[in-house]
Amino acid sequence: MQLNLNDLLAYTAWERQNWYQCLQQHGEKALKIHLGPYRDGRFETVGDLVKHIFAAEKRYVERITGQPLSDFTNIPNDDVEALFQFSQQSRKELQHLLETFPAAEWDRPMSFKVLNYTTTATPKKIVMHVLVHEIRHWAQIATLLRLHSLPSGFHDFLVSPVLGGEFKEDKP
């Protein structure tokens, strides 16, 4: 069995739709939840973390394609609509990369700066990282919302429509 990148893309697209609906429902209250005392010092709130998910996707595409890195300070971290419009842009650019990047280059290591580190990885590994990175952060956000008594629904891959199957409550 070989894992399919399209399955992870479909899962993260499904997750984004679920989170968009959840965050629309809870609004600024959810986006303004503080990440706590042991957070990564770059981010203060759930809204910061949501923006980071989409910004990382966009910046890794920019790194792979040799573009200058974008500045995201103008995207508000407390506006669900603005954040998820940004997510559509970042995903569109990732999809374009996947469709147009030269096949011979996917396994060729490249080096670039991330914060104060030099990273060397293949574009294939970077794209996989982008998707796993997103999934990991959504799980953190789900935990934070639960701790603040804000329901966020089911997000497990098992309950997603990706690869088929069914998830339904059995009623007595």
Side-chain angles (χ1 to χ4, degrees):
M1 180 186 85
Q2 186 174 14
L3 294 175
N4 185 334
L5 185 64
N6 288 327
D7 295 330
L8 284 179
L9 286 164
Y11 173 64
T12 56
W14 176 79
E15 271 281 81
R16 286 179 184 200
Q17 183 59 39
N18 285 341
W19 280 109
Y20 173 68
Q21 292 170 354
C22 173
L23 294 172
Q24 270 188 317
Q25 177 186 357
H26 298 305
E28 283 187 29
K29 181 177 182 179
L31 292 174
K32 290 187 174 186
I33 292 173
H34 195 269
L35 300 180
Y38 304 109
R39 71 192 181 283
D40 177 330
R42 298 173 293 159
F43 314 115
E44 295 284 326
T45 65
V46 165
D48 291 336
L49 199 52
V50 171
K51 182 164 69 169
H52 167 70
I53 291 168
F54 309 140
E57 179 174 75
K58 183 164 175 47
R59 282 194 171 152
Y60 279 114
V61 168
E62 292 168 345
R63 288 178 177 109
I64 290 170
T65 58
Q67 299 174 52
L69 299 182
S70 297
D71 177 15
F72 307 112
T73 55
N74 64 330
I75 299 171
N77 64 359
D78 61 353
D79 181 333
V80 173
E81 297 303 321
L83 288 167
F84 281 85
Q85 284 176 6
F86 178 42
S87 81
Q88 291 172 358
Q89 175 191 358
S90 68
R91 184 49 58 96
K92 181 179 176 183
E93 291 176 17
L94 177 61
Q95 288 284 5
H96 180 73
L97 172 77
L98 294 172
E99 294 165 5
T100 63
F101 197 71
E105 299 296 314
W106 282 111
D107 292 313
R108 189 175 315 232
M110 55 190 336
S111 295
F112 47 85
K113 294 284 285 177
V114 177
L115 302 173
N116 294 326
Y117 303 92
T118 298
T119 301
T120 301
T122 65
K124 185 188 297 183
K125 183 174 183 174
I126 294 165
V127 169
M128 187 63 72
H129 165 74
V130 164
L131 297 171
V132 172
H133 170 264
E134 177 171 345
I135 294 165
R136 184 174 61 87
H137 281 315
W138 287 130
Q140 291 172 320
I141 292 168
T143 299
L144 286 163
L145 266 62
R146 275 195 302 274
L147 291 172
H148 286 84
S149 301
L150 298 175
S152 67
F154 292 108
H155 295 277
D156 290 328
F157 185 84
L158 187 62
V159 304
S160 79
V162 179
L163 298 177
E166 186 176 39
F167 183 77
K168 64 180 184 177
E169 183 177 6
D170 293 332
K171 302 209 180 200

